[in-house]
Amino acid sequence: MTRMLIVGPQGSGKGTQAKLVSEKLGILAISTGDIFRANIKGETELGQEAKKFVDAGDLVPDSLTNRLVEDRLSWDDAADGFLLDGYPRNRTQAATLDEILSRLGVDLDVVLELTADTDELTQRLKHRAETEGRADDADETVIRRRLELFENETRPMIDEYKTRDLVKQVNGLGSVDEVNARILKALNV
Ligand code: AMP
């Protein structure tokens, strides 16, 4: 049974790796970004609330995001383990996740950090905008905003997880297979 987070800047390949790793471990992958995008597409109430933040590359307000994750983690399919992709993204969300997990009576096992440099990330995000048509990947200002948010909000959160000895760092540069092999090695699977 594994309960883990995958963290890294946008474009570091965490979505792709989250799917591969969760399949390999037989656990549920939960991507808050995917949930927001599906709701925006489906024009649900949640989608309408989240759209302006997602389009601008800003974080959706913590209250909305925390509620969404708390609800999703309470489903039966998350009981045997999960891999959270894209959440938490700041220290407030991390503190809320701690509370959610303690209410569920479970602990976090590992935080997997994918690393990559900014130039490579910007290239990847532009490529993804062309191939997947993600509006938030297309605009340079939005790309810069998201990378900036990662440095200012998410980095301090990762540092806190480091002090708790939960972080395993993996180099995110290279092919999908290469990075995946590094991750499985780091996780001893
Ligand atoms: P992602 O696919 O993880 O890059 O997420 C795409 C967008 O969804 C982000 O740029 C945010 O606008 C929003 N989002 C995803 N996860 C979160 C989160 N944990 N907190 C706030 N906003 C989020």
Side-chain angles (χ1 to χ4, degrees), residues 60 62 65-66 86-98:
V60 176
D62 289 339
T65 311
N66 288 333
Y87 178 94
R89 265 202 168 62
N90 59 31
R91 294 175 67 187
T92 314
Q93 293 183 4
T96 302
L97 179 63
D98 280 342

Side-chain angles (χ1 to χ4, degrees), residues 10 14 31-34 36-37 53-54 57-62 65 85-89 93 128 134 136 146:
Q10 289 80 357
K14 65 186 163 56
S31 155
T32 42
D34 280 353
F36 285 132
R37 279 185 289 279
F53 302 102
V54 173
D58 279 329
L59 291 183
V60 176
D62 289 339
T65 311
D85 160 19
Y87 178 94
R89 265 202 168 62
Q93 293 183 4
R128 188 163 77 181
R134 272 182 57 169
D136 60 343
R146 288 160 74 216

